[in-house]
Amino acid sequence: MIETADAEYDDTAIRFLEALWGDGYLSPGGPEEVDRVVEGLSLKGKTILDIGCGSGGITLHLVERHGVAHATGFDVEQPVIEAARRRAAAGGTERASFIQAPPGPLPFADRCFDVVDALLHVPDKDGLFAEIFRVLKPGGVFAASNWMIGHDGEPSPQMKAYIAAEGLSFAMASPVRYAQAMRHAGFANVTVRDRNPWYREVARGELERLKGPLYAPVAAVVGAAYVDKNIRTWEAMQKVLDSGEHRPTHLRGWKPDAIG
């Protein structure tokens, strides 16, 4: 089952994150980080499912830069899907579509995608990967970036403070827990790549920009109070990035060609 809280990314959140991370992106790194998630994969002519597609930047980048035959962006939140559809219409592409559906099983047939790409905040890791495995064709690949915690024990006071500051339904688990869930679902050749060293420094720069040159133009769009709140969030996040407890991570795994 794909479960999440009620919609958390309203138009204000979308405008703020896109001002920080680029048009269409609700996660850090922009197209360069997307390219790192899928590096080494041949996507030309493939059908792709982008789970948690946000406002569509990743989905459309995969179409425009990687030559996929068709990319389906999926999200449970209506505001981001509406933003993604507007972006696709403005770009004139017919090789991307965006679907919103309530939490639950993925609304797709078995074995209908070559590649599943995702950034995920889902509590039921085993149920999530069982669904992803179901919709992948044999020989298909799952490639994702996600924010994780470095362990599966009680979060530190600093991590609890960060999650509270975010105010989002983070369901963090460790890279080890994710890899276990993938293997339990049937994925083979599971790999994990730690992105904490990269984002630790990127986030430091983001915080400096929010306090400096971005403050006035972003505050003009979303309000100073909203920017001030997010500065406090970034300060809390930086502490757990520096400690190593917050671990952005890439995942990859393959559905075997023959399922016994």
Side-chain angles (χ1 to χ4, degrees), residues 147-159:
W147 286 11
M148 303 186 192
I149 191 170
H151 58 84
D152 290 306
E154 183 74 10
S156 70
Q158 291 79 13
M159 179 61 85

Side-chain angles (χ1 to χ4, degrees), residues 1 17 27 48 79 100 118 133 139 167:
M1 301 291 287
L17 293 174
S27 57
I48 291 183
Q100 186 271 338
F133 194 84

Side-chain angles (χ1 to χ4, degrees), residues 36-60:
R36 292 185 189 99
V37 170
V38 300
E39 68 181 354
L41 299 178
S42 177
L43 304 183
K44 187 174 182 180
K46 303 294 187 181
T47 57
I48 291 183
L49 172 63
D50 180 14
I51 299 176
C53 65
S55 56
I58 292 172
T59 313
L60 295 173

Side-chain angles (χ1 to χ4, degrees), residues 165-195:
E166 283 279 15
L168 300 174
S169 58
F170 283 164
M172 285 188 171
S174 71
V176 169
R177 175 72 187 94
Y178 270 89
Q180 287 174 340
M182 290 178 68
R183 294 186 181 102
H184 185 260
F187 283 95
N189 301 321
V190 174
T191 60
V192 175
R193 178 162 60 174
D194 182 16
R195 296 295 284 157

Side-chain angles (χ1 to χ4, degrees), residues 85-234:
R85 287 171 177 165
R86 289 193 297 269
R87 180 163 283 103
T93 182
E94 297 181 352
R95 290 189 289 134
S97 57
F98 294 92
I99 296 174
Q100 186 271 338
L106 289 171
F108 306 106
D110 295 356
R111 303 183 176 193
C112 60
F113 294 101
D114 296 298
V115 181
V116 173
D117 175 85
L119 186 142
L120 307 159
H121 302 286
V122 179
D124 180 6
K125 310 305 181 190
D126 289 307
L128 166 69
F129 285 111
E131 278 293 284
I132 291 172
F133 194 84
R134 178 183 65 79
V135 302
L136 269 175
K137 297 176 183 178
V141 61
F142 168 77
S145 174
N146 200 15
W147 286 11
M148 303 186 192
I149 191 170
H151 58 84
D152 290 306
E154 183 74 10
S156 70
Q158 291 79 13
M159 179 61 85
K160 289 179 179 178
Y162 161 59
I163 293 172
E166 283 279 15
L168 300 174
S169 58
F170 283 164
M172 285 188 171
S174 71
V176 169
R177 175 72 187 94
Y178 270 89
Q180 287 174 340
M182 290 178 68
R183 294 186 181 102
H184 185 260
F187 283 95
N189 301 321
V190 174
T191 60
V192 175
R193 178 162 60 174
D194 182 16
R195 296 295 284 157
N196 172 277
W198 164 75
Y199 191 53
R200 186 170 64 231
E201 298 309 314
V202 169
R204 204 180 313 280
E206 291 168 353
L207 182 56
E208 291 173 358
R209 289 165 57 215
L210 283 174
K211 290 180 173 180
L214 274 183
Y215 188 94
V218 176
V221 175
V222 301
Y226 196 90
V227 180
D228 291 340
K229 172 190 176 294
N230 278 280
I231 286 174
R232 294 190 294 271
T233 299
W234 253 252

